[in-house]
Amino acid sequence: MGTKLKTLPLHLMLLPGVILTLVFSYIPIMGIVIAFQKFAPSKGIFHSKWVGLDNFRYMLDMPNFTSVLWNTIFIAVLKIAAGLVIPIIFALLLNEVAGAWFKRTIQTTIYFPYFLSWVILGGILIDILSPSSGIVNQFLGWFGVKPIFFLGSDKWFPYTLVLTDTWKGFGYGTIVYLAALTGIDQSLYEAATVDGANRWKQMLNVTLPGMLPIITLMTVLSLGNVLNAGFEQVFNLYSPMVYSTGDIIDTFVYRLGLVEAQYGVATAVGLFKSVISLILIVISNRLANRYAGYRIF
């Protein structure tokens, strides 16, 4: 009885989180049935017409669904690749910095954008990437490069998304890999120095092998995000001019459901994405357990 009373405050602390999870994550699952209905808000879930798999057939027959799916996978895979490679390189470079104060300053500087929302960053990027007055195009103009419409060109827009997303988030990834570096046995570096290895060879033969478990873990866990190309970023930066290469599943669902009021089709697309994501997450969990000794469930 005494143990239960001691742990009661801890359980009460969990209660608000449990309630929020139930309200915003579990209860809305009932809305999945809309994917199988011709949903009418006036009739509600229980009285709307049941249409079976018609919404899914309509979804697959939509002419732009294939391009939206490809855009999502293409942008997400590029983001995953850049989000893995850039933090690793930067962590290795930062690890070579001798001055502790300078290293902390750099860490704080690169980590700061991670805390800014895409609403704020979207406004900043629209200004600095403007083809007429943006500082980026002004800088390119010094080298004779013609102005580039980064946010209005279907050619440049996907890569702009990848670069800006990497800039925003690579500081967080860098800290993860710097933490992994602190776990490497320093005696290995001493032994490598005695054997005549320079800093480059030490990085190849000691640092990278020591980071390999966390690199493997981050790589396999990122597989679950293949269909998550970043709704907030795309929504704040895209326009009809770049729908052909910048429209992703999440923004597609937003327009179908909230703009065009095709609730059944929008829910069907969202359910399709959720099922595929669940499969990818299960696969990534299995791979993480097999190659990195890590598992979530």
Side-chain angles (χ1 to χ4, degrees):
M1 186 67 180
T3 304
K4 291 182 178 180
L5 289 176
K6 289 181 179 180
T7 58
L8 181 61
L10 300 177
H11 288 88
L12 291 176
M13 288 174 62
L14 290 173
L15 188 60
V18 171
I19 293 174
L20 288 174
T21 302
L22 288 173
V23 172
F24 292 104
S25 298
Y26 285 94
I27 294 178
I29 290 178
M30 295 175 56
I32 288 176
V33 299
I34 296 176
F36 307 94
Q37 296 177 331
K38 187 176 181 181
F39 179 74
S42 59
K43 297 180 179 179
I45 292 177
F46 299 105
H47 300 288
S48 293
K49 182 181 178 181
W50 189 268
V51 295
L53 298 177
D54 286 355
N55 288 325
F56 292 92
R57 296 190 187 96
Y58 180 80
M59 171 191 76
L60 295 174
D61 290 337
M62 297 180 74
N64 54 341
F65 178 73
T66 304
S67 65
V68 168
L69 182 59
W70 165 251
N71 294 341
T72 305
I73 296 174
F74 179 72
I75 293 171
V77 169
L78 287 181
K79 284 185 176 182
I80 290 171
L84 288 170
V85 174
I86 301 302
I88 292 172
I89 294 174
F90 204 86
L92 292 173
L93 294 174
L94 202 58
N95 188 54
E96 299 298 321
V97 176
W101 66 272
F102 183 70
K103 182 184 293 187
R104 287 195 297 267
T105 303
I106 295 297
Q107 284 183 263
T108 303
T109 303
I110 64 174
Y111 197 39
F112 178 71
Y114 181 78
F115 295 99
L116 298 178
S117 71
W118 276 112
V119 176
I120 297 173
L121 286 180
I124 295 174
L125 290 172
I126 289 172
D127 286 337
I128 66 176
L129 297 178
S130 169
S132 57
S133 58
I135 188 173
V136 173
N137 275 301
Q138 289 181 7
F139 175 77
L140 293 175
W142 296 343
F143 299 93
V145 179
K146 294 181 179 180
I148 300 173
F149 199 176
F150 291 99
L151 300 180
S153 168
D154 55 3
K155 174 184 176 182
W156 287 99
F157 186 72
Y159 303 103
T160 303
L161 291 177
V162 174
L163 289 174
T164 53
D165 181 75
T166 303
W167 166 70
K168 183 179 186 294
F170 86 99
Y172 176 82
T174 300
I175 290 178
V176 172
Y177 293 115
L178 284 174
L181 287 171
T182 61
I184 299 176
D185 189 352
Q186 295 301 310
S187 64
L188 296 175
Y189 290 104
E190 296 173 2
T193 303
V194 172
D195 289 340
N198 55 27
R199 299 296 296 179
W200 174 253
K201 291 184 177 179
Q202 288 180 29
M203 183 187 70
L204 293 178
N205 297 290
V206 179
T207 306
L208 285 178
M211 294 174 64
L212 190 59
I214 189 64
I215 293 173
T216 303
L217 175 63
M218 298 296 286
T219 301
V220 296
L221 290 181
S222 65
L223 292 177
N225 292 319
V226 169
L227 292 184
N228 292 322
F231 171 77
E232 295 87 355
Q233 180 195 18
V234 179
F235 181 74
N236 282 284
L237 295 178
Y238 84 151
S239 65
M241 293 184 293
V242 294
Y243 279 176
S244 60
T245 60
D247 197 16
I248 61 174
I249 290 178
D250 291 331
T251 53
F252 186 59
V253 170
Y254 167 81
R255 291 201 313 279
L256 281 175
L258 297 182
V259 178
E260 301 177 13
Q262 298 186 53
Y263 303 109
V265 181
T267 307
V269 177
L271 181 57
F272 167 81
K273 176 195 170 185
S274 298
V275 171
I276 300 299
S277 296
L278 175 61
I279 294 172
L280 292 173
I281 289 172
V282 172
I283 293 174
S284 65
N285 180 67
R286 295 289 180 87
L287 292 174
N289 183 41
R290 180 174 180 179
Y291 295 106
Y294 175 89
R295 63 183 303 159
I296 303 173
F297 50 86

